[in-house]
Amino acid sequence: MTHEESDRAFRLAYAPGVTPAKWVGVWAERMPEVPLTLVSAPAAEVVGVLHGEGADAGFVRLPVDRDGLSVIPLYVETTVVVLPKDHALTAGDEVTVGDLADEEVFHPLDDVLEWTARPGLPAFERPATTADAVPLVAAGTGLLVVPLSLARLYDRGDLTYRPVPDAPQSQVALAWPTDRTTDLVDDFIGIVRGRTANSSRGRTPAAPVEKAAAEKKPARRQAGKPGQGGKAGQGGKAGQGGAGSRAVPAGRGKSGKKGRRPR
């Protein structure tokens, strides 16, 4: 780690609904000398935060403009419809897009789902955010289709949700500016990908050197004891070891013995 990196925090941006807690926890255990700062931003603004150097890396919802970015897709979320607990559509375990045809459905301006055709009937307004749409659903004025994580984020006692299996889905990815792929970014990528602290991708140059030295020691010990190859049984094993087999050829026994020993 460079001196400059040790003097600052690693800044991680994330869109609403994304929960980076498990990765942040691993970072705290593995990199206690570098504090991690979370930067919350609307889904549509995370890429701008990255380009503006407001964060070193961030969790985004695809698709995004990948110009200048490196992107690692992570997981796809289930899409659900948020509705009042007493709504007729709660009778089933799932809801299809067709089931929403006669329902008013809110389409907030920060919607993260890519629709070819929006479901249901247009609601009386387009809320600015998903958070603004939730109380309108609770008031019985329409329904809302969102990724599961957003339904959980804005959960309230008078609402519930059902999966919509034929709706578009939201995919979460890790992104960072390609020209700012620092050692700390590499460390976080390793955590997200599940690498161990001792992974070969980690920045621990001493480990490979020690491993190589340990592998060479047995070879030197074998080469330094050529006299132990005189017995036929040991000579046969040495013959499988390349250079060790040349130290004592199998036919060099005492001159008074006749013939070769059976193999």
PDB file of all heavy atoms in Angstrom, residues 211-252:
ATOM      1  N   LYS A 211       7.474 -19.522  -0.825  1.00  0.00           N
ATOM      2  CA  LYS A 211       6.988 -20.790  -1.362  1.00  0.00           C
ATOM      3  C   LYS A 211       7.998 -21.405  -2.320  1.00  0.00           C
ATOM      4  O   LYS A 211       8.286 -22.600  -2.276  1.00  0.00           O
ATOM      5  CB  LYS A 211       5.649 -20.576  -2.064  1.00  0.00           C
ATOM      6  CG  LYS A 211       5.059 -21.864  -2.623  1.00  0.00           C
ATOM      7  CD  LYS A 211       3.710 -21.578  -3.260  1.00  0.00           C
ATOM      8  CE  LYS A 211       3.108 -22.861  -3.827  1.00  0.00           C
ATOM      9  NZ  LYS A 211       1.818 -22.601  -4.487  1.00  0.00           N
ATOM     10  N   ALA A 212       8.589 -20.563  -3.175  1.00  0.00           N
ATOM     11  CA  ALA A 212       9.568 -21.065  -4.137  1.00  0.00           C
ATOM     12  C   ALA A 212      10.788 -21.611  -3.421  1.00  0.00           C
ATOM     13  O   ALA A 212      11.349 -22.637  -3.791  1.00  0.00           O
ATOM     14  CB  ALA A 212       9.962 -19.950  -5.100  1.00  0.00           C
ATOM     15  N   ALA A 213      11.217 -20.901  -2.346  1.00  0.00           N
ATOM     16  CA  ALA A 213      12.382 -21.364  -1.599  1.00  0.00           C
ATOM     17  C   ALA A 213      12.103 -22.699  -0.936  1.00  0.00           C
ATOM     18  O   ALA A 213      12.949 -23.586  -0.900  1.00  0.00           O
ATOM     19  CB  ALA A 213      12.778 -20.323  -0.559  1.00  0.00           C
ATOM     20  N   ALA A 214      10.896 -22.864  -0.418  1.00  0.00           N
ATOM     21  CA  ALA A 214      10.533 -24.110   0.242  1.00  0.00           C
ATOM     22  C   ALA A 214      10.498 -25.275  -0.740  1.00  0.00           C
ATOM     23  O   ALA A 214      10.854 -26.404  -0.409  1.00  0.00           O
ATOM     24  CB  ALA A 214       9.177 -23.965   0.931  1.00  0.00           C
ATOM     25  N   GLU A 215      10.095 -24.993  -1.973  1.00  0.00           N
ATOM     26  CA  GLU A 215      10.027 -26.049  -2.972  1.00  0.00           C
ATOM     27  C   GLU A 215      11.425 -26.480  -3.438  1.00  0.00           C
ATOM     28  O   GLU A 215      11.635 -27.616  -3.839  1.00  0.00           O
ATOM     29  CB  GLU A 215       9.213 -25.577  -4.165  1.00  0.00           C
ATOM     30  CG  GLU A 215       7.731 -25.426  -3.835  1.00  0.00           C
ATOM     31  CD  GLU A 215       6.958 -24.825  -5.000  1.00  0.00           C
ATOM     32  OE1 GLU A 215       7.606 -24.341  -5.944  1.00  0.00           O
ATOM     33  OE2 GLU A 215       5.730 -24.848  -4.947  1.00  0.00           O
ATOM     34  N   LYS A 216      12.403 -25.556  -3.359  1.00  0.00           N
ATOM     35  CA  LYS A 216      13.747 -25.885  -3.818  1.00  0.00           C
ATOM     36  C   LYS A 216      14.529 -26.688  -2.792  1.00  0.00           C
ATOM     37  O   LYS A 216      15.423 -27.434  -3.128  1.00  0.00           O
ATOM     38  CB  LYS A 216      14.517 -24.601  -4.151  1.00  0.00           C
ATOM     39  CG  LYS A 216      14.006 -23.891  -5.392  1.00  0.00           C
ATOM     40  CD  LYS A 216      14.785 -22.626  -5.667  1.00  0.00           C
ATOM     41  CE  LYS A 216      14.271 -21.919  -6.907  1.00  0.00           C
ATOM     42  NZ  LYS A 216      15.006 -20.661  -7.166  1.00  0.00           N
ATOM     43  N   LYS A 217      14.202 -26.522  -1.498  1.00  0.00           N
ATOM     44  CA  LYS A 217      14.982 -27.182  -0.456  1.00  0.00           C
ATOM     45  C   LYS A 217      14.990 -28.701  -0.575  1.00  0.00           C
ATOM     46  O   LYS A 217      16.037 -29.323  -0.498  1.00  0.00           O
ATOM     47  CB  LYS A 217      14.470 -26.747   0.922  1.00  0.00           C
ATOM     48  CG  LYS A 217      14.868 -25.317   1.260  1.00  0.00           C
ATOM     49  CD  LYS A 217      14.357 -24.923   2.639  1.00  0.00           C
ATOM     50  CE  LYS A 217      14.755 -23.490   2.968  1.00  0.00           C
ATOM     51  NZ  LYS A 217      14.243 -23.082   4.297  1.00  0.00           N
ATOM     52  N   PRO A 218      13.868 -29.380  -0.766  1.00  0.00           N
ATOM     53  CA  PRO A 218      13.913 -30.845  -0.899  1.00  0.00           C
ATOM     54  C   PRO A 218      14.774 -31.300  -2.065  1.00  0.00           C
ATOM     55  O   PRO A 218      15.477 -32.292  -1.973  1.00  0.00           O
ATOM     56  CB  PRO A 218      12.445 -31.234  -1.104  1.00  0.00           C
ATOM     57  CG  PRO A 218      11.679 -30.097  -0.504  1.00  0.00           C
ATOM     58  CD  PRO A 218      12.502 -28.894  -0.786  1.00  0.00           C
ATOM     59  N   ALA A 219      14.769 -30.562  -3.177  1.00  0.00           N
ATOM     60  CA  ALA A 219      15.554 -30.945  -4.347  1.00  0.00           C
ATOM     61  C   ALA A 219      17.042 -30.901  -4.029  1.00  0.00           C
ATOM     62  O   ALA A 219      17.818 -31.738  -4.440  1.00  0.00           O
ATOM     63  CB  ALA A 219      15.227 -30.041  -5.524  1.00  0.00           C
ATOM     64  N   ARG A 220      17.467 -29.877  -3.226  1.00  0.00           N
ATOM     65  CA  ARG A 220      18.874 -29.768  -2.885  1.00  0.00           C
ATOM     66  C   ARG A 220      19.293 -30.892  -1.956  1.00  0.00           C
ATOM     67  O   ARG A 220      20.387 -31.415  -2.041  1.00  0.00           O
ATOM     68  CB  ARG A 220      19.141 -28.404  -2.238  1.00  0.00           C
ATOM     69  CG  ARG A 220      19.090 -27.240  -3.217  1.00  0.00           C
ATOM     70  CD  ARG A 220      19.760 -26.025  -2.623  1.00  0.00           C
ATOM     71  NE  ARG A 220      19.051 -25.550  -1.440  1.00  0.00           N
ATOM     72  CZ  ARG A 220      18.080 -24.652  -1.475  1.00  0.00           C
ATOM     73  NH1 ARG A 220      17.690 -24.139  -2.634  1.00  0.00           N
ATOM     74  NH2 ARG A 220      17.489 -24.248  -0.362  1.00  0.00           N
ATOM     75  N   ARG A 221      18.405 -31.287  -1.028  1.00  0.00           N
ATOM     76  CA  ARG A 221      18.735 -32.371  -0.118  1.00  0.00           C
ATOM     77  C   ARG A 221      18.923 -33.689  -0.871  1.00  0.00           C
ATOM     78  O   ARG A 221      19.820 -34.463  -0.591  1.00  0.00           O
ATOM     79  CB  ARG A 221      17.636 -32.516   0.934  1.00  0.00           C
ATOM     80  CG  ARG A 221      17.659 -31.384   1.987  1.00  0.00           C
ATOM     81  CD  ARG A 221      16.872 -31.793   3.214  1.00  0.00           C
ATOM     82  NE  ARG A 221      15.471 -31.999   2.873  1.00  0.00           N
ATOM     83  CZ  ARG A 221      14.553 -31.050   2.966  1.00  0.00           C
ATOM     84  NH1 ARG A 221      14.909 -29.829   3.362  1.00  0.00           N
ATOM     85  NH2 ARG A 221      13.294 -31.300   2.674  1.00  0.00           N
ATOM     86  N   GLN A 222      18.083 -33.971  -1.861  1.00  0.00           N
ATOM     87  CA  GLN A 222      18.190 -35.200  -2.625  1.00  0.00           C
ATOM     88  C   GLN A 222      19.468 -35.211  -3.449  1.00  0.00           C
ATOM     89  O   GLN A 222      20.174 -36.209  -3.533  1.00  0.00           O
ATOM     90  CB  GLN A 222      16.979 -35.358  -3.535  1.00  0.00           C
ATOM     91  CG  GLN A 222      15.691 -35.636  -2.764  1.00  0.00           C
ATOM     92  CD  GLN A 222      14.494 -35.626  -3.674  1.00  0.00           C
ATOM     93  OE1 GLN A 222      14.628 -35.442  -4.879  1.00  0.00           O
ATOM     94  NE2 GLN A 222      13.315 -35.828  -3.112  1.00  0.00           N
ATOM     95  N   ALA A 223      19.790 -34.079  -4.072  1.00  0.00           N
ATOM     96  CA  ALA A 223      20.989 -34.030  -4.905  1.00  0.00           C
ATOM     97  C   ALA A 223      22.250 -34.131  -4.072  1.00  0.00           C
ATOM     98  O   ALA A 223      23.289 -34.569  -4.537  1.00  0.00           O
ATOM     99  CB  ALA A 223      21.008 -32.735  -5.713  1.00  0.00           C
ATOM    100  N   GLY A 224      22.185 -33.732  -2.799  1.00  0.00           N
ATOM    101  CA  GLY A 224      23.368 -33.734  -1.950  1.00  0.00           C
ATOM    102  C   GLY A 224      23.660 -35.081  -1.326  1.00  0.00           C
ATOM    103  O   GLY A 224      24.611 -35.210  -0.568  1.00  0.00           O
ATOM    104  N   LYS A 225      22.844 -36.137  -1.537  1.00  0.00           N
ATOM    105  CA  LYS A 225      23.053 -37.454  -0.948  1.00  0.00           C
ATOM    106  C   LYS A 225      23.059 -38.541  -2.023  1.00  0.00           C
ATOM    107  O   LYS A 225      22.211 -39.419  -2.044  1.00  0.00           O
ATOM    108  CB  LYS A 225      21.965 -37.752   0.085  1.00  0.00           C
ATOM    109  CG  LYS A 225      21.978 -36.771   1.252  1.00  0.00           C
ATOM    110  CD  LYS A 225      20.891 -37.116   2.262  1.00  0.00           C
ATOM    111  CE  LYS A 225      20.893 -36.154   3.420  1.00  0.00           C
ATOM    112  NZ  LYS A 225      19.847 -36.476   4.408  1.00  0.00           N
ATOM    113  N   PRO A 226      24.016 -38.431  -2.988  1.00  0.00           N
ATOM    114  CA  PRO A 226      24.000 -39.416  -4.081  1.00  0.00           C
ATOM    115  C   PRO A 226      24.329 -40.819  -3.620  1.00  0.00           C
ATOM    116  O   PRO A 226      23.961 -41.787  -4.246  1.00  0.00           O
ATOM    117  CB  PRO A 226      25.075 -38.895  -5.048  1.00  0.00           C
ATOM    118  CG  PRO A 226      25.985 -38.076  -4.185  1.00  0.00           C
ATOM    119  CD  PRO A 226      25.128 -37.471  -3.144  1.00  0.00           C
ATOM    120  N   GLY A 227      25.031 -40.962  -2.490  1.00  0.00           N
ATOM    121  CA  GLY A 227      25.436 -42.282  -2.065  1.00  0.00           C
ATOM    122  C   GLY A 227      24.308 -43.156  -1.601  1.00  0.00           C
ATOM    123  O   GLY A 227      24.486 -44.349  -1.383  1.00  0.00           O
ATOM    124  N   GLN A 228      23.113 -42.599  -1.376  1.00  0.00           N
ATOM    125  CA  GLN A 228      22.012 -43.402  -0.899  1.00  0.00           C
ATOM    126  C   GLN A 228      21.293 -44.123  -2.018  1.00  0.00           C
ATOM    127  O   GLN A 228      20.270 -44.737  -1.799  1.00  0.00           O
ATOM    128  CB  GLN A 228      21.016 -42.499  -0.137  1.00  0.00           C
ATOM    129  CG  GLN A 228      21.604 -41.950   1.155  1.00  0.00           C
ATOM    130  CD  GLN A 228      20.591 -41.140   1.923  1.00  0.00           C
ATOM    131  OE1 GLN A 228      19.482 -40.937   1.453  1.00  0.00           O
ATOM    132  NE2 GLN A 228      20.965 -40.694   3.114  1.00  0.00           N
ATOM    133  N   GLY A 229      21.780 -44.029  -3.222  1.00  0.00           N
ATOM    134  CA  GLY A 229      21.097 -44.678  -4.337  1.00  0.00           C
ATOM    135  C   GLY A 229      21.634 -46.061  -4.630  1.00  0.00           C
ATOM    136  O   GLY A 229      21.296 -46.657  -5.642  1.00  0.00           O
ATOM    137  N   GLY A 230      22.562 -46.651  -3.772  1.00  0.00           N
ATOM    138  CA  GLY A 230      23.204 -47.915  -4.083  1.00  0.00           C
ATOM    139  C   GLY A 230      22.284 -49.100  -4.030  1.00  0.00           C
ATOM    140  O   GLY A 230      22.470 -50.069  -4.731  1.00  0.00           O
ATOM    141  N   LYS A 231      21.285 -49.092  -3.143  1.00  0.00           N
ATOM    142  CA  LYS A 231      20.378 -50.229  -3.047  1.00  0.00           C
ATOM    143  C   LYS A 231      19.432 -50.245  -4.227  1.00  0.00           C
ATOM    144  O   LYS A 231      18.957 -49.204  -4.661  1.00  0.00           O
ATOM    145  CB  LYS A 231      19.591 -50.160  -1.746  1.00  0.00           C
ATOM    146  CG  LYS A 231      20.475 -50.373  -0.517  1.00  0.00           C
ATOM    147  CD  LYS A 231      19.646 -50.389   0.751  1.00  0.00           C
ATOM    148  CE  LYS A 231      20.526 -50.606   1.977  1.00  0.00           C
ATOM    149  NZ  LYS A 231      19.734 -50.647   3.222  1.00  0.00           N
ATOM    150  N   ALA A 232      19.098 -51.455  -4.668  1.00  0.00           N
ATOM    151  CA  ALA A 232      18.267 -51.555  -5.871  1.00  0.00           C
ATOM    152  C   ALA A 232      16.919 -50.915  -5.668  1.00  0.00           C
ATOM    153  O   ALA A 232      16.388 -50.259  -6.542  1.00  0.00           O
ATOM    154  CB  ALA A 232      18.103 -53.029  -6.249  1.00  0.00           C
ATOM    155  N   GLY A 233      16.311 -51.079  -4.490  1.00  0.00           N
ATOM    156  CA  GLY A 233      14.978 -50.517  -4.251  1.00  0.00           C
ATOM    157  C   GLY A 233      15.012 -49.011  -4.301  1.00  0.00           C
ATOM    158  O   GLY A 233      14.161 -48.380  -4.890  1.00  0.00           O
ATOM    159  N   GLN A 234      16.033 -48.392  -3.687  1.00  0.00           N
ATOM    160  CA  GLN A 234      16.128 -46.947  -3.714  1.00  0.00           C
ATOM    161  C   GLN A 234      16.511 -46.454  -5.087  1.00  0.00           C
ATOM    162  O   GLN A 234      16.075 -45.402  -5.523  1.00  0.00           O
ATOM    163  CB  GLN A 234      17.166 -46.476  -2.686  1.00  0.00           C
ATOM    164  CG  GLN A 234      16.712 -46.713  -1.239  1.00  0.00           C
ATOM    165  CD  GLN A 234      17.758 -46.260  -0.244  1.00  0.00           C
ATOM    166  OE1 GLN A 234      18.879 -45.942  -0.622  1.00  0.00           O
ATOM    167  NE2 GLN A 234      17.396 -46.249   1.025  1.00  0.00           N
ATOM    168  N   GLY A 235      17.331 -47.252  -5.795  1.00  0.00           N
ATOM    169  CA  GLY A 235      17.713 -46.831  -7.139  1.00  0.00           C
ATOM    170  C   GLY A 235      16.517 -46.783  -8.054  1.00  0.00           C
ATOM    171  O   GLY A 235      16.404 -45.923  -8.902  1.00  0.00           O
ATOM    172  N   GLY A 236      15.551 -47.724  -7.872  1.00  0.00           N
ATOM    173  CA  GLY A 236      14.353 -47.722  -8.715  1.00  0.00           C
ATOM    174  C   GLY A 236      13.527 -46.489  -8.483  1.00  0.00           C
ATOM    175  O   GLY A 236      12.998 -45.915  -9.402  1.00  0.00           O
ATOM    176  N   LYS A 237      13.428 -46.066  -7.234  1.00  0.00           N
ATOM    177  CA  LYS A 237      12.656 -44.854  -6.939  1.00  0.00           C
ATOM    178  C   LYS A 237      13.374 -43.640  -7.461  1.00  0.00           C
ATOM    179  O   LYS A 237      12.766 -42.712  -7.972  1.00  0.00           O
ATOM    180  CB  LYS A 237      12.422 -44.720  -5.437  1.00  0.00           C
ATOM    181  CG  LYS A 237      11.485 -45.770  -4.881  1.00  0.00           C
ATOM    182  CD  LYS A 237      11.267 -45.573  -3.393  1.00  0.00           C
ATOM    183  CE  LYS A 237      10.308 -46.619  -2.847  1.00  0.00           C
ATOM    184  NZ  LYS A 237      10.099 -46.465  -1.383  1.00  0.00           N
ATOM    185  N   ALA A 238      14.679 -43.614  -7.348  1.00  0.00           N
ATOM    186  CA  ALA A 238      15.417 -42.463  -7.848  1.00  0.00           C
ATOM    187  C   ALA A 238      15.283 -42.348  -9.338  1.00  0.00           C
ATOM    188  O   ALA A 238      15.295 -41.266  -9.891  1.00  0.00           O
ATOM    189  CB  ALA A 238      16.893 -42.583  -7.463  1.00  0.00           C
ATOM    190  N   GLY A 239      15.148 -43.466 -10.025  1.00  0.00           N
ATOM    191  CA  GLY A 239      15.028 -43.440 -11.478  1.00  0.00           C
ATOM    192  C   GLY A 239      13.798 -42.707 -11.940  1.00  0.00           C
ATOM    193  O   GLY A 239      13.722 -42.278 -13.069  1.00  0.00           O
ATOM    194  N   GLN A 240      12.823 -42.550 -11.056  1.00  0.00           N
ATOM    195  CA  GLN A 240      11.626 -41.803 -11.427  1.00  0.00           C
ATOM    196  C   GLN A 240      11.808 -40.319 -11.207  1.00  0.00           C
ATOM    197  O   GLN A 240      10.945 -39.531 -11.517  1.00  0.00           O
ATOM    198  CB  GLN A 240      10.430 -42.294 -10.590  1.00  0.00           C
ATOM    199  CG  GLN A 240      10.114 -43.753 -10.833  1.00  0.00           C
ATOM    200  CD  GLN A 240       9.043 -44.245  -9.889  1.00  0.00           C
ATOM    201  OE1 GLN A 240       8.536 -43.494  -9.089  1.00  0.00           O
ATOM    202  NE2 GLN A 240       8.706 -45.505  -9.992  1.00  0.00           N
ATOM    203  N   GLY A 241      12.917 -39.935 -10.628  1.00  0.00           N
ATOM    204  CA  GLY A 241      13.066 -38.540 -10.256  1.00  0.00           C
ATOM    205  C   GLY A 241      13.964 -37.752 -11.180  1.00  0.00           C
ATOM    206  O   GLY A 241      14.438 -36.701 -10.797  1.00  0.00           O
ATOM    207  N   GLY A 242      14.296 -38.184 -12.354  1.00  0.00           N
ATOM    208  CA  GLY A 242      15.071 -37.393 -13.297  1.00  0.00           C
ATOM    209  C   GLY A 242      16.539 -37.411 -12.919  1.00  0.00           C
ATOM    210  O   GLY A 242      17.229 -38.412 -13.011  1.00  0.00           O
ATOM    211  N   ALA A 243      17.071 -36.249 -12.421  1.00  0.00           N
ATOM    212  CA  ALA A 243      18.496 -36.121 -12.119  1.00  0.00           C
ATOM    213  C   ALA A 243      18.935 -37.097 -11.049  1.00  0.00           C
ATOM    214  O   ALA A 243      20.055 -37.598 -11.063  1.00  0.00           O
ATOM    215  CB  ALA A 243      18.799 -34.688 -11.660  1.00  0.00           C
ATOM    216  N   GLY A 244      18.081 -37.422 -10.104  1.00  0.00           N
ATOM    217  CA  GLY A 244      18.448 -38.344  -9.028  1.00  0.00           C
ATOM    218  C   GLY A 244      18.780 -39.721  -9.568  1.00  0.00           C
ATOM    219  O   GLY A 244      19.582 -40.449  -8.998  1.00  0.00           O
ATOM    220  N   SER A 245      18.189 -40.117 -10.672  1.00  0.00           N
ATOM    221  CA  SER A 245      18.433 -41.458 -11.215  1.00  0.00           C
ATOM    222  C   SER A 245      19.805 -41.569 -11.837  1.00  0.00           C
ATOM    223  O   SER A 245      20.314 -42.653 -12.020  1.00  0.00           O
ATOM    224  CB  SER A 245      17.369 -41.795 -12.272  1.00  0.00           C
ATOM    225  OG  SER A 245      17.495 -40.932 -13.386  1.00  0.00           O
ATOM    226  N   ARG A 246      20.426 -40.425 -12.177  1.00  0.00           N
ATOM    227  CA  ARG A 246      21.743 -40.487 -12.803  1.00  0.00           C
ATOM    228  C   ARG A 246      22.870 -40.521 -11.776  1.00  0.00           C
ATOM    229  O   ARG A 246      24.012 -40.751 -12.114  1.00  0.00           O
ATOM    230  CB  ARG A 246      21.933 -39.286 -13.735  1.00  0.00           C
ATOM    231  CG  ARG A 246      20.998 -39.312 -14.931  1.00  0.00           C
ATOM    232  CD  ARG A 246      21.425 -38.273 -15.949  1.00  0.00           C
ATOM    233  NE  ARG A 246      21.252 -36.916 -15.424  1.00  0.00           N
ATOM    234  CZ  ARG A 246      20.127 -36.229 -15.530  1.00  0.00           C
ATOM    235  NH1 ARG A 246      19.066 -36.757 -16.105  1.00  0.00           N
ATOM    236  NH2 ARG A 246      20.059 -35.003 -15.055  1.00  0.00           N
ATOM    237  N   ALA A 247      22.550 -40.264 -10.518  1.00  0.00           N
ATOM    238  CA  ALA A 247      23.606 -40.238  -9.505  1.00  0.00           C
ATOM    239  C   ALA A 247      24.223 -41.610  -9.312  1.00  0.00           C
ATOM    240  O   ALA A 247      25.424 -41.755  -9.207  1.00  0.00           O
ATOM    241  CB  ALA A 247      23.043 -39.722  -8.172  1.00  0.00           C
ATOM    242  N   VAL A 248      23.401 -42.656  -9.270  1.00  0.00           N
ATOM    243  CA  VAL A 248      23.906 -44.026  -9.101  1.00  0.00           C
ATOM    244  C   VAL A 248      23.174 -44.912 -10.091  1.00  0.00           C
ATOM    245  O   VAL A 248      22.052 -45.328  -9.835  1.00  0.00           O
ATOM    246  CB  VAL A 248      23.694 -44.542  -7.665  1.00  0.00           C
ATOM    247  CG1 VAL A 248      24.272 -45.945  -7.527  1.00  0.00           C
ATOM    248  CG2 VAL A 248      24.340 -43.610  -6.654  1.00  0.00           C
ATOM    249  N   PRO A 249      23.784 -45.237 -11.286  1.00  0.00           N
ATOM    250  CA  PRO A 249      23.098 -46.102 -12.260  1.00  0.00           C
ATOM    251  C   PRO A 249      22.787 -47.457 -11.662  1.00  0.00           C
ATOM    252  O   PRO A 249      23.529 -47.978 -10.842  1.00  0.00           O
ATOM    253  CB  PRO A 249      24.104 -46.207 -13.415  1.00  0.00           C
ATOM    254  CG  PRO A 249      24.952 -44.977 -13.280  1.00  0.00           C
ATOM    255  CD  PRO A 249      25.049 -44.720 -11.809  1.00  0.00           C
ATOM    256  N   ALA A 250      21.700 -48.070 -12.095  1.00  0.00           N
ATOM    257  CA  ALA A 250      21.239 -49.324 -11.498  1.00  0.00           C
ATOM    258  C   ALA A 250      22.232 -50.460 -11.683  1.00  0.00           C
ATOM    259  O   ALA A 250      22.299 -51.374 -10.888  1.00  0.00           O
ATOM    260  CB  ALA A 250      19.890 -49.716 -12.105  1.00  0.00           C
ATOM    261  N   GLY A 251      23.067 -50.495 -12.738  1.00  0.00           N
ATOM    262  CA  GLY A 251      23.962 -51.626 -13.001  1.00  0.00           C
ATOM    263  C   GLY A 251      25.274 -51.560 -12.272  1.00  0.00           C
ATOM    264  O   GLY A 251      26.118 -52.427 -12.440  1.00  0.00           O
ATOM    265  N   ARG A 252      25.571 -50.537 -11.484  1.00  0.00           N
ATOM    266  CA  ARG A 252      26.862 -50.405 -10.815  1.00  0.00           C
ATOM    267  C   ARG A 252      26.817 -51.024  -9.426  1.00  0.00           C
ATOM    268  O   ARG A 252      26.755 -50.341  -8.418  1.00  0.00           O
ATOM    269  CB  ARG A 252      27.262 -48.947 -10.735  1.00  0.00           C
ATOM    270  CG  ARG A 252      27.553 -48.337 -12.119  1.00  0.00           C
ATOM    271  CD  ARG A 252      28.031 -46.924 -11.990  1.00  0.00           C
ATOM    272  NE  ARG A 252      28.223 -46.333 -13.318  1.00  0.00           N
ATOM    273  CZ  ARG A 252      28.587 -45.075 -13.505  1.00  0.00           C
ATOM    274  NH1 ARG A 252      28.811 -44.284 -12.471  1.00  0.00           N
ATOM    275  NH2 ARG A 252      28.748 -44.614 -14.715  1.00  0.00           N
TER     276      ARG A 252
END
